[in-house]
Amino acid sequence: MYPFEEVLAWEAEMNDSLYQERKILAAYQWMKMDLNDRRAALLQENTIDGIALDQLDQALLHVEELIMERYIIIDEKEKAVERMYQQWQHILQNMQ
């Protein structure tokens, strides 16, 4: 098993990394909301610009893919932290 100091350093790095991932996710979610607002405004116009609508739909699809990627990354990092906690808990229980 890893020395306690290394575990604490890893946990701090992982915490910082998760914070950054969540900030990126929030930015993507704001982008998605903005694109949806633009799409709704475009659809309310008297004449619909099909090219602009298609571009917005493509941008929305891309942002949704980025959001899903962030969810996966965050989930994997959270699971790694949980595994580390479980390993340390197991070690501490065995020491008693």
Side-chain angles (χ1 to χ4, degrees):
M1 199 71 211
Y2 303 102
F4 188 66
E5 294 82 19
E6 287 181 31
V7 172
L8 289 177
W10 177 85
E11 180 188 14
E13 289 173 16
M14 189 63 77
N15 188 43
D16 291 344
S17 178
L18 279 165
Y19 176 76
Q20 290 300 320
E21 292 295 342
R22 288 183 179 114
K23 279 178 54 175
I24 293 169
L25 176 62
Y28 288 154
Q29 289 170 331
W30 279 105
M31 283 182 200
K32 181 180 174 182
M33 288 181 356
D34 182 56
L35 289 169
N36 277 324
D37 289 346
R38 291 180 188 201
R39 189 176 193 284
L42 186 65
L43 290 173
Q44 290 178 351
E45 293 180 3
N46 291 337
T47 57
I48 296 176
D49 183 350
I51 294 172
L53 185 60
D54 185 52
Q55 290 174 339
L56 276 171
D57 287 341
Q58 288 178 19
L60 270 166
L61 180 62
H62 183 65
V63 169
E64 287 174 358
E65 290 170 352
L66 293 172
I67 288 171
M68 290 308 300
E69 288 174 12
R70 288 297 136 200
Y71 276 127
I72 291 168
I73 290 168
I74 290 169
D75 184 57
E76 289 172 355
K77 288 182 179 186
E78 286 175 341
K79 286 179 182 176
V81 169
E82 183 62 31
R83 279 192 303 272
M84 181 63 76
Y85 284 140
Q86 288 174 353
Q87 289 173 356
W88 274 96
Q89 185 177 27
H90 180 72
I91 288 171
L92 292 173
Q93 287 175 350
N94 288 336
M95 293 174 70
Q96 295 176 352

